[in-house]
Amino acid sequence: MRLLPFLLPCLLALPVLAQKAKAPGKTPAKAAEPVKEAKVDWDGEWTLAASQSDKLDEQIEAHVKDLNFAMKLYWKKKLQSACKEFNKLDILAGESFSVTMGRERPIDTPADGTESDWKRSDDTVFKATLTKDGPTMIQTVIGDGHTLKYVYSMRKDGNSLALQVTYTHPKLDNPFSYKLVFKRND
């Protein structure tokens, strides 16, 4: 209690000492202006960076490992036929987007999320949509009882992108997901 009379004036003086003295004739610094986000350039040919990508067969094996023998074979075959690893990606951007994965037919969709039909090379018809928001583009392909969601994320360097693929099916307990990384061709 003896220290209280001595500490009380010091504690009351702290807010005054904490205030910064304004130098005469100087104006306060301007707040930093927000940096405009650079336009994302999706156009181009891209090549798979296999060392940075998931190994698809290993991912499928890990996903079905806890299923019984029959279901493991069934889902492994379904996942292998729907989920593909491709070495090349070709994107043409504009009012609409054309995305070609490997040697597959291009998926042509407007960038506003409007649904369009896409016929795969085996003549199976799917419904496809695409939306983009800055460095992210989401393409959804629905058909044959399953949904494939492709989330493209442009990296800051603009010369590489990550593609997160998610497969969902009403009879599959957990969605299956894997990542592919692509580098822009020069």
Side-chain angles (χ1 to χ4, degrees):
M1 284 304 213
R2 288 179 162 185
L3 291 176
L4 189 59
F6 295 109
L7 288 177
L8 192 57
C10 293
L11 291 173
L12 293 174
L14 281 177
V16 174
L17 292 174
Q19 290 181 351
K20 210 179 203 184
K22 185 178 174 185
K26 289 194 175 183
T27 57
K30 289 185 180 179
E33 292 185 27
V35 177
K36 290 184 180 179
E37 190 174 310
K39 185 178 184 244
V40 177
D41 182 16
W42 294 103
D43 269 330
E45 293 180 359
W46 305 81
T47 302
L48 180 69
S51 64
Q52 298 175 33
S53 301
D54 290 338
K55 297 188 180 353
L56 188 54
D57 288 335
E58 290 176 10
Q59 292 289 102
I60 291 173
E61 285 293 333
H63 194 77
V64 300
K65 72 177 170 57
D66 293 332
L67 300 176
N68 68 43
F69 182 74
M71 293 308 288
K72 185 183 289 189
L73 289 176
Y74 174 79
W75 284 111
K76 185 175 178 180
K77 183 177 178 184
K78 282 283 234 190
L79 291 171
Q80 286 173 334
S81 68
C83 301
K84 302 287 185 184
E85 181 180 86
F86 39 91
N87 293 327
K88 188 177 118 182
L89 181 65
D90 207 356
I91 302 174
L92 295 173
E95 290 296 314
S96 63
F97 276 67
S98 178
V99 179
T100 306
M101 299 172 188
R103 295 178 177 233
E104 192 55 70
R105 289 180 180 160
I107 304 172
D108 297 320
T109 49
D112 64 1
T114 304
E115 188 175 87
S116 61
D117 288 335
W118 171 59
K119 191 183 280 189
R120 198 168 57 186
S121 57
D122 64 1
D123 290 332
T124 306
V125 178
F126 294 88
K127 298 289 183 191
T129 61
L130 184 133
T131 57
K132 63 183 181 91
D133 183 21
T136 304
M137 180 169 71
I138 301 172
Q139 186 176 45
T140 306
V141 179
I142 302 170
D144 197 27
H146 68 272
T147 301
L148 280 166
K149 182 177 179 182
Y150 300 99
V151 179
Y152 302 82
S153 301
M154 184 69 68
R155 301 224 169 128
K156 288 183 181 184
D157 65 7
N159 290 319
S160 62
L161 64 87
L163 172 57
Q164 186 72 38
V165 183
T166 304
Y167 171 95
T168 55
H169 190 285
K171 293 182 180 175
L172 185 62
D173 291 338
N174 297 316
F176 172 69
S177 189
Y178 62 101
K179 178 183 79 170
L180 301 174
V181 175
F182 291 89
K183 300 282 185 188
R184 186 185 301 272
N185 294 351
D186 290 328

